[in-house]
């Protein structure tokens, strides 16, 4: 009989599916998702999703909370990484062991943000793409990056690009970046999501950073400005 596994990350790994790891990676990169968003992107039904999410909560890889509505009632469950989930993602990605309070700090930051509707609205755009791809074999959301990844040096460089391109740190601060593949055609796209709080001039000024990026890398990709009066309640 083998010795019991005492490391919690190793112990939980055998109980996680490929789909679970996809979800944990999304939560690590994009902060939080609602139960309806998770169901639409990854599961055949909301009931199936809720059952699995309860299991992941019991395994202590995710936490959940339910914001109150100003006019009464509550929103659906919002899911974030628990500390064990943070450590699982770090292990999968070969990153350093996170701080013991990493999940607590992330959760506090996310749940106390005044722009929570903006975060959920931004994520909804990419969730809709993932949901479409789930039911259309010819489509694929190959990449979904947050702002932090887009700002890394060489983020949009190719292996054969000159050294200056691979070392260039973009100034753009998109709400997200996707590489969408359909019928063999790949379309990179930047997303700027606005709930109606930014003046038009501010949105236009953001194009300067994209012009510089495209000039530096020698490629031009679409920039989608998604204007929405309020984040979708689902």
């Amino acid at each position: 009989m083998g010795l019991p596994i005492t490391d919690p990350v190793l112990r939980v790994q055998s109980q996680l599916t490929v789909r679970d790891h996809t979800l944990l990676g999304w939560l690590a990169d994009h902060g939080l998702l609602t139960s309806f968003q998770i169901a639409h992107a990854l599961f055949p039904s909301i009931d199936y999703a809720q059952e699995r999410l309860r299991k992941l909560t019991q395994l202590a890889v995710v936490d959940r909370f339910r914001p109150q509505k100003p006019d009464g009632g509550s929103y659906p469950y919002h899911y974030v990484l628990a500390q064990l989930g943070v450590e699982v993602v770090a292990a999968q990605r070969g990153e350093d062991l996170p701080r013991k309070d990493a999940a607590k700090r992330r959760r506090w930051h996310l749940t106390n943000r005044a722009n929570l509707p903006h975060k959920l609205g931004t994520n909804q755009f990419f969730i809709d793409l993932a949901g479409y791809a789930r039911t259309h074999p010819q489509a694929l959301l190959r990449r979904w990056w947050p702002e932090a990844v887009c700002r890394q040096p060489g983020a949009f460089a190719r292996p054969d690009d000159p050294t200056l391109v691979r070392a260039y740190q973009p100034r753009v601060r998109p709400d997200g970046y996707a590489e969408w593949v359909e019928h063999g055609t790949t379309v990179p796209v930047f997303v700027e999501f606005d709930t109606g709080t930014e003046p038009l001039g501010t949105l236009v000024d953001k194009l300067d950073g994209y012009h510089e990026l495209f000039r530096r890398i020698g490629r031009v990709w679409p920039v989608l400005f998604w204007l929405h009066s309020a984040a979708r309640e689902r």
Side-chain angles (χ1 to χ4, degrees):
M1 181 180 298
L3 294 174
I5 299 176
T6 58
D7 184 282
V9 173
L10 295 178
R11 190 168 59 243
V12 78
Q13 289 281 13
S14 63
Q15 302 182 67
L16 298 177
T17 66
V18 172
R19 178 165 49 194
D20 295 336
H21 282 293
T22 296
L23 172 58
L24 297 181
W26 283 354
L27 293 177
D29 290 337
H30 309 291
L32 78 168
L33 294 167
T34 69
S35 54
F36 288 100
Q37 289 176 328
I38 294 168
H40 180 61
L42 295 173
F43 291 88
S45 72
I46 184 63
D47 290 340
Y48 191 179
Q50 289 175 336
E51 180 181 352
R52 188 58 187 168
L53 288 169
R54 281 193 292 269
K55 178 63 176 179
L56 294 178
T57 303
Q58 292 169 0
L59 291 173
V61 292
V62 300
D63 281 332
R64 64 184 186 179
F65 65 95
R66 215 169 191 174
Q68 298 298 310
K69 291 183 177 180
D71 55 351
S74 60
Y75 291 100
Y77 278 118
H78 292 47
Y79 286 84
V80 297
L81 285 181
Q83 182 63 29
L84 182 56
V86 174
E87 294 174 4
V88 167
V89 173
Q92 287 291 112
R93 296 178 174 180
E95 299 171 350
D96 293 336
L97 185 67
R99 293 173 44 160
K100 289 299 183 183
D101 63 345
K104 181 179 180 180
R105 292 166 62 91
R106 282 170 54 89
R107 184 168 60 249
W108 186 92
H109 179 67
L110 289 166
T111 57
N112 286 276
R113 291 177 67 172
N115 64 341
L116 185 60
H118 181 275
K119 169 64 72 174
L120 290 172
T122 297
N123 289 350
Q124 185 63 51
F125 174 85
F126 298 93
I127 287 296
D128 286 341
L129 292 180
Y132 180 89
R134 180 175 59 81
T135 56
H136 294 75
Q138 77 281 3
L140 173 67
L141 178 59
R142 187 164 63 190
R143 283 181 179 164
W144 172 15
W145 285 355
E147 174 197 328
V149 176
C150 295
R151 291 174 61 82
Q152 293 178 357
F156 304 103
R158 295 171 178 168
D160 58 347
D161 279 336
T163 301
L164 288 178
V165 174
R166 289 185 278 116
Y168 171 66
Q169 183 171 10
R171 293 194 303 112
V172 294
R173 301 184 62 179
D175 292 311
Y177 166 82
E179 284 186 6
W180 177 251
V181 182
E182 191 164 6
H183 296 294
T185 299
T186 300
V187 180
V189 60
F190 295 94
V191 175
E192 295 280 354
F193 179 79
D194 180 44
T195 57
T197 60
E198 290 190 306
L200 181 59
T202 301
L203 298 177
V204 173
D205 289 343
K206 292 183 178 183
L207 292 175
D208 292 338
Y210 291 105
H211 287 153
E212 179 184 318
L213 170 65
F214 299 148
R215 179 173 56 83
R216 291 293 190 101
I217 67 176
R219 294 178 287 277
V220 178
W221 299 324
V223 180
L224 174 63
F225 285 83
W226 190 23
L227 306 181
H228 205 290
S229 59
R232 187 178 308 179
E233 297 179 10
R234 300 199 53 181

